Amino acid sequence: MTLIARILGIVKPAPRVPDIQLLHAAIVTQVRNPVFYRDYGVPDTLDGRFDLLVLHVVLVVLRLQDSGEAAAAQALVDYLAADLDRNLREMGTGDMGVGKRMRAMGEAFTGRARAYRAALAGGEAALLPALDRNLFGTVDTDMKALALMAGYVQRQWQHLCGMPAAGIIAGEQALQAP
């Protein structure tokens, strides 16, 4: 934007979007923790890891949205999409296949985000079936593992709600250990 345009108010500056790379890295590190696959029963498969990643990103995105940080929430979703695209290409997926898979992952993300938002508002009674369907959907659910995961999600949500948005965006202890 030129100085004259700024002075005349012709063009409004775009909202400042923070560098979200550190937050994304913190989420990925959390998702790689073996405790989720060993003790919490999350399937240690490509789908299980994707679903666990989505769960964590959704928790952070919902918290950022609730705190008025829509630009940061969108930046995180955009960064996630770019990272998933890159990973698909590294795994050898061709251009035509990447588009199809990215569309499916985008739909999965959106559906899970709606389900988790509703579940967080509805307490444990709503969270258990949402996790069973969206995180453990491909395996027979171990009820003990499901309860452990629901407790973890509730603790994580409370932790995020107690943090300032700026700290979350910076990736500073955004997530607690499981």
Side-chain angles (χ1 to χ4, degrees):
M1 167 169 46
T2 68
L3 179 59
I4 293 173
R6 195 174 321 146
I7 291 170
L8 296 175
I10 297 170
V11 179
K12 293 184 180 181
R16 187 175 182 288
V17 177
D19 180 9
I20 217 77
Q21 186 174 4
L22 291 176
L23 176 56
H24 180 265
I27 293 170
V28 169
T29 298
Q30 184 82 346
V31 169
R32 289 180 176 161
N33 190 324
V35 74
F36 290 114
Y37 310 100
R38 183 186 62 233
D39 301 339
Y40 287 54
V42 175
D44 192 4
T45 61
L46 193 58
D47 286 342
R49 287 178 179 264
F50 170 77
D51 289 330
L52 188 61
L53 176 64
V54 167
L55 170 63
H56 283 87
V57 170
V58 165
L59 288 172
V60 172
V61 164
L62 293 177
R63 171 64 179 107
L64 292 174
Q65 288 173 340
D66 290 351
S67 64
E69 294 288 347
Q74 187 61 54
L76 178 58
V77 172
D78 293 345
Y79 195 95
L80 172 68
D83 188 52
L84 291 172
D85 182 282
R86 182 182 54 76
N87 280 302
L88 285 171
R89 291 176 191 283
E90 285 178 1
M91 292 181 342
T93 305
D95 287 341
M96 297 296 284
V98 168
K100 185 177 179 181
R101 289 186 182 190
M102 288 299 296
R103 189 170 25 266
M105 286 189 283
E107 290 170 1
F109 181 90
T110 302
R112 283 160 176 75
R114 284 189 194 115
Y116 290 139
R117 178 175 285 288
L120 289 167
E124 188 174 354
L127 187 55
L128 288 170
L131 288 171
D132 188 26
R133 183 177 56 256
N134 295 297
L135 184 61
F136 298 102
T138 60
V139 297
D140 289 333
T141 307
D142 175 332
M143 294 310 289
K144 181 181 175 189
L146 180 61
L148 281 172
M149 193 66 196
Y152 164 79
V153 169
Q154 289 175 317
R155 287 189 309 278
Q156 201 63 258
W157 180 245
Q158 291 303 314
H159 171 73
L160 287 167
C161 289
M163 286 194 66
I168 295 170
I169 293 167
E172 298 170 358
Q173 299 175 337
L175 299 168
Q176 290 183 318

